Amino acid sequence: MPFTTSRSAVVAASTLSVLLLGTAGVHAEEPAHAGGATPDISVAEVMRHLDALQRISDAHNGNRAHGTAGYQASVDYVREKLDAAGYRTSLQEFEFGGKKSWNLIADWPRGGKSGKVLMVGAHLDSVDTSPGINDNGSSVGAILETALTVSARKASPSQHLRFAFWGTEEETYIGSTHYVNTLPPAELSRITAYLNFDMIGSPNAGYFVYDQSPEVARHFQGYFDAKGIPTEPATALNGRSDHEPFLAKGVPVGGIFTGSAEIKTPEQAAKWGGTAGEAMDKCYHQACDTPANIDKHTLDVNADAIAAMVWKLGVRK
Ligand SMILES: [Zn+2]
């Protein structure tokens, strides 16, 4: 395996330097490296996170909504995985409707010497009528697995990587708005792009790319072009997810989306498969939005797209 080989070689070289130079100016830190080839995210691992979120919902009145113990248990689940992987995690508390909530922010401690920040986010809450597995466990699982892959590779990325799991999106992106509005302007200006994911495993899927920031969109577009998958602009999501507060502050945004209650047209069914005349997610905001509501092929393609963009924009560049 190239990754293991090159790392062993570098470690051997630095050991030699220590022997030659003694302790003067030589640190025992592992050397920086680019993070290896673009990873292939395991959809089975992503599904394990979705099954865990479903169990949390089952144990908490069938949802993981704002202000509930089910939401707190969702935060605990994701945070524990990130802490174990070496992330610096923090909870940003805010209040909505008289109830407390939290954004979970995870910073990767290595790399980022450029002073630039790539941010990747997904909302972690569900509505109170649904376990919220496509909306939005699908994206939570995919960005969590991408974050865990950064850790497994011991990547030292070019940009600082920050993953955000937002609270209270379902009440019109309250958590992400709070984050953006309380971030010092100097910090905000370091964010080169915010990548948002909200529903990426829809059972009657379309392939939609955010088109607000062409400099980010072209990278996603290139990914799907290379796979021979036609896309459309994600206009159904405009004004409806956590990228909005970033966009309002002038941060470039990007993302992908596979459809919610929109009805698939015959033209869309012809190019993407699936069923014309039916919703792209017929369980949108309903109790049937369980792991059984996920199209695993769609989730696989989109989880790989997310990792590819994180590697392209933040890890390697
Ligand atoms: Zn959503």
Side-chain angles (χ1 to χ4, degrees):
M1 291 166 69
F3 168 67
T4 308
T5 307
S6 63
R7 191 161 153 242
S8 311
V10 178
V11 170
S14 60
T15 305
L16 184 62
S17 304
V18 172
L19 291 173
L20 293 173
L21 300 172
T23 54
V26 177
H27 300 276
E29 287 171 13
E30 290 185 43
H33 65 87
T38 302
D40 181 357
I41 299 296
S42 159
V43 73
E45 292 299 315
V46 177
M47 286 304 299
R48 284 178 55 190
H49 302 309
L50 304 198
D51 290 339
L53 293 173
Q54 179 66 44
R55 284 195 297 276
I56 288 169
S57 173
D58 290 343
H60 296 91
N61 306 312
N63 71 82
R64 304 179 297 102
H66 168 73
T68 68
Y71 180 69
Q72 287 187 41
S74 302
V75 170
D76 290 344
Y77 173 80
V78 175
R79 187 178 200 183
E80 187 248 314
K81 300 277 181 212
L82 292 165
D83 283 342
Y87 279 80
R88 286 196 309 256
T89 62
S90 59
L91 296 182
Q92 184 185 35
E93 187 176 301
F94 58 93
E95 204 173 291
F96 178 75
K99 289 174 179 167
K100 280 185 175 144
S101 190
W102 300 269
N103 295 321
L104 168 59
I105 308 294
D107 286 278
W108 179 238
R110 291 167 179 254
K113 298 279 197 295
S114 64
K116 297 172 178 172
V117 177
L118 178 68
M119 239 185 126
V120 183
H123 75 82
L124 183 52
D125 62 320
S126 72
V127 293
D128 63 6
T129 51
S130 172
I133 298 304
N134 187 35
D135 186 11
N136 187 30
S138 59
S139 309
V140 167
I143 75 167
L144 174 58
E145 205 50 41
T146 299
L148 297 180
T149 302
V150 168
S151 166
R153 298 275 184 95
K154 295 185 167 60
S156 186
S158 60
Q159 296 196 19
H160 177 79
L161 296 184
R162 182 176 299 147
F163 293 86
F165 299 84
W166 306 117
T168 325
E169 187 275 344
E170 295 290 7
E171 313 280 352
T172 321
Y173 40 89
I174 303 297
S176 54
T177 300
H178 179 76
Y179 178 84
V180 167
N181 287 347
T182 53
L183 199 64
E187 272 293 308
L188 195 67
S189 68
R190 294 173 62 205
I191 303 173
T192 57
Y194 169 64
L195 307 183
N196 189 63
F197 303 100
D198 190 351
M199 304 179 74
I200 61 158
S202 305
N204 189 25
Y207 288 84
F208 301 98
V209 174
Y210 293 24
D211 64 350
Q212 294 91 339
S213 307
E215 69 273 34
V216 182
R218 69 187 176 90
H219 295 295
F220 280 107
Q221 195 57 57
Y223 178 86
F224 288 106
D225 287 350
K227 293 221 172 298
I229 299 172
T231 68
E232 293 182 13
T235 46
L237 214 56
N238 288 355
R240 291 180 61 191
S241 194
D242 296 298
H243 56 290
E244 290 297 334
F246 287 88
L247 196 58
K249 294 278 188 182
V251 176
V253 301
I256 49 181
F257 169 61
T258 57
S260 56
E262 307 82 49
I263 303 297
K264 187 175 268 186
T265 67
E267 295 74 25
Q268 289 173 329
K271 64 182 173 185
W272 291 325
T275 310
E278 282 189 9
M280 297 194 195
D281 182 355
K282 63 185 184 321
C283 289
Y284 175 62
H285 285 184
Q286 296 177 45
C288 58
D289 185 12
T290 67
N293 187 43
I294 294 289
D295 182 87
K296 290 196 180 99
H297 173 71
T298 301
L299 181 63
D300 194 13
V301 168
N302 285 291
D304 287 346
I306 292 170
M309 287 313 109
V310 170
W311 252 249
K312 186 176 192 98
L313 299 177
V315 173
R316 233 188 264 113
K317 198 166 77 174

